[in-house]
Protein backbone atom coordinates (compact mmCIF):
# COMPACT_ATOMS: atom_id res chain seq x y z
CA UNK A 1 0.00 0.00 0.00
CA UNK A 2 1.22 3.48 -0.92
CA UNK A 3 -0.23 6.80 0.19
CA UNK A 4 0.44 10.03 -1.73
CA UNK A 5 -0.05 13.53 -0.34
CA UNK A 6 0.23 16.53 -2.65
CA UNK A 7 0.92 20.17 -1.91
CA UNK A 8 1.88 23.37 -3.72
CA UNK A 9 -1.10 24.23 -5.88
CA UNK A 10 -2.41 27.75 -6.20
CA UNK A 11 -3.08 30.76 -8.40
CA UNK A 12 -0.33 32.28 -10.55
CA UNK A 13 -0.17 34.80 -13.38
CA UNK A 14 0.78 33.79 -16.92
CA UNK A 15 4.54 33.47 -17.17
CA UNK A 16 4.85 32.67 -13.50
CA UNK A 17 6.17 29.59 -11.74
CA UNK A 18 4.87 27.06 -9.28
CA UNK A 19 6.24 23.90 -7.69
CA UNK A 20 4.14 20.89 -6.77
CA UNK A 21 5.27 18.30 -4.24
CA UNK A 22 4.09 14.76 -3.68
CA UNK A 23 5.24 12.77 -0.67
CA UNK A 24 4.86 8.99 -0.61
CA UNK A 25 4.54 6.69 2.36
CA UNK A 26 4.07 2.96 2.71
CA UNK A 27 5.77 0.49 0.38
CA UNK A 28 7.98 3.15 -1.15
CA UNK A 29 10.84 0.79 -1.98
CA UNK A 30 8.63 -1.01 -4.48
CA UNK A 31 7.80 2.10 -6.53
CA UNK A 32 8.89 1.68 -10.14
CA UNK A 33 7.87 5.07 -11.45
CA UNK A 34 6.13 8.25 -10.36
CA UNK A 35 4.51 10.94 -12.40
CA UNK A 36 2.16 13.84 -12.69
CA UNK A 37 -1.14 13.91 -14.56
CA UNK A 38 -3.58 16.76 -14.99
CA UNK A 39 -7.23 17.20 -15.83
CA UNK A 40 -8.50 20.51 -17.16
CA UNK A 41 -12.17 21.51 -17.20
CA UNK A 42 -13.97 19.66 -19.97
CA UNK A 43 -10.94 17.53 -20.85
CA UNK A 44 -9.71 14.04 -20.10
CA UNK A 45 -6.88 13.39 -17.69
CA UNK A 46 -3.52 13.52 -19.46
CA UNK A 47 0.03 12.59 -18.60
CA UNK A 48 2.34 15.52 -17.84
CA UNK A 49 5.65 13.98 -16.78
CA UNK A 50 7.11 10.75 -15.39
CA UNK A 51 10.29 9.70 -13.64
CA UNK A 52 11.39 6.09 -13.24
CA UNK A 53 13.20 4.36 -10.42
CA UNK A 54 16.38 4.73 -12.43
CA UNK A 55 15.88 8.45 -12.91
CA UNK A 56 14.74 8.53 -16.54
CA UNK A 57 12.25 11.28 -17.32
CA UNK A 58 9.62 11.84 -19.98
CA UNK A 59 7.42 14.84 -20.68
CA UNK A 60 4.33 15.66 -22.65
CA UNK A 61 5.14 17.79 -25.68
CA UNK A 62 2.95 20.57 -24.33
CA UNK A 63 5.15 21.06 -21.25
CA UNK A 64 8.58 20.08 -22.57
CA UNK A 65 11.12 22.78 -21.85
CA UNK A 66 8.89 24.46 -19.25
CA UNK A 67 8.26 21.77 -16.63
CA UNK A 68 10.80 19.67 -14.74
CA UNK A 69 10.08 16.53 -12.75
CA UNK A 70 12.54 15.53 -10.04
CA UNK A 71 12.74 13.42 -6.93
CA UNK A 72 14.31 13.46 -3.49
CA UNK A 73 14.66 9.87 -2.35
CA UNK A 74 15.66 10.85 1.19
CA UNK A 75 12.36 12.69 1.57
CA UNK A 76 10.30 10.19 -0.45
CA UNK A 77 9.09 13.11 -2.52
CA UNK A 78 8.63 13.87 -6.19
CA UNK A 79 8.38 17.44 -7.47
CA UNK A 80 7.01 19.17 -10.52
CA UNK A 81 8.63 22.54 -11.18
CA UNK A 82 6.40 24.51 -13.54
CA UNK A 83 7.84 27.57 -15.27
CA UNK A 84 6.48 29.91 -17.95
CA UNK A 85 2.96 28.91 -17.03
CA UNK A 86 0.16 29.45 -19.51
CA UNK A 87 -3.60 29.69 -19.00
CA UNK A 88 -3.96 26.33 -20.73
CA UNK A 89 -1.95 24.77 -17.89
CA UNK A 90 -4.92 25.38 -15.60
CA UNK A 91 -6.01 21.99 -14.26
CA UNK A 92 -6.15 19.72 -11.28
CA UNK A 93 -2.77 18.02 -11.03
CA UNK A 94 -2.60 14.47 -9.71
CA UNK A 95 0.46 12.66 -8.43
CA UNK A 96 0.75 9.02 -9.46
CA UNK A 97 2.98 6.11 -8.59
CA UNK A 98 3.22 2.65 -10.10
CA UNK A 99 3.77 -0.32 -7.81
CA UNK A 100 3.16 -3.40 -9.90
CA UNK A 101 0.45 -4.28 -10.51
CA UNK A 102 -1.23 -1.17 -9.02
CA UNK A 103 -1.45 2.55 -9.63
CA UNK A 104 -1.86 4.93 -6.69
CA UNK A 105 -3.08 8.52 -6.87
CA UNK A 106 -2.75 11.66 -4.81
CA UNK A 107 -5.72 13.78 -3.86
CA UNK A 108 -5.17 16.39 -6.56
CA UNK A 109 -3.89 19.96 -6.46
CA UNK A 110 -5.62 22.85 -8.23
CA UNK A 111 -3.37 24.99 -10.42
CA UNK A 112 -4.93 28.11 -11.89
CA UNK A 113 -3.05 30.35 -14.32
CA UNK A 114 -4.86 33.64 -14.80
CA UNK A 115 -4.23 37.38 -14.88
Amino acid sequence: QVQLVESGGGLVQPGGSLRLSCTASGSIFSIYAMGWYRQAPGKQRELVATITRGGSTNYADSVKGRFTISRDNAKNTVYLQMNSLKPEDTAVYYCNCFVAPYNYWGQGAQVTVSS
Side-chain angles (χ1 to χ4, degrees), residues 57-73:
T57 58
N58 283 284
Y59 298 91
D61 288 340
S62 59
V63 307
K64 195 172 298 181
R66 300 188 298 120
F67 291 10
T68 302
I69 188 170
S70 61
R71 67 185 185 190
D72 186 334
N73 290 332

Side-chain angles (χ1 to χ4, degrees), residues 2-114:
V2 175
Q3 296 81 44
L4 303 174
V5 179
E6 302 179 32
S7 63
L11 172 65
V12 296
Q13 294 184 340
S17 297
L18 203 64
R19 188 180 74 163
L20 302 180
S21 299
C22 176
T23 299
S25 62
S27 301
I28 57 177
F29 297 122
S30 299
I31 296 175
Y32 174 75
M34 298 187 70
W36 292 93
Y37 292 70
R38 67 186 182 187
Q39 187 166 19
K43 295 185 177 181
Q44 295 185 345
R45 188 175 299 184
E46 64 177 350
L47 186 146
V48 177
T50 61
I51 185 166
T52 69
R53 183 174 57 196
S56 298
T57 58
N58 283 284
Y59 298 91
D61 288 340
S62 59
V63 307
K64 195 172 298 181
R66 300 188 298 120
F67 291 10
T68 302
I69 188 170
S70 61
R71 67 185 185 190
D72 186 334
N73 290 332
K75 298 180 179 179
N76 303 318
T77 299
V78 63
Y79 304 94
L80 185 67
Q81 178 67 47
M82 302 181 290
N83 298 327
S84 302
L85 283 162
K86 305 174 181 180
E88 51 262 45
D89 295 318
T90 295
V92 177
Y93 284 71
Y94 296 93
C95 180
N96 167 269
C97 74
F98 178 62
V99 184
Y102 304 108
N103 279 287
Y104 297 90
W105 296 92
Q107 80 278 13
Q110 177 68 52
V111 172
T112 302
V113 185
S114 179

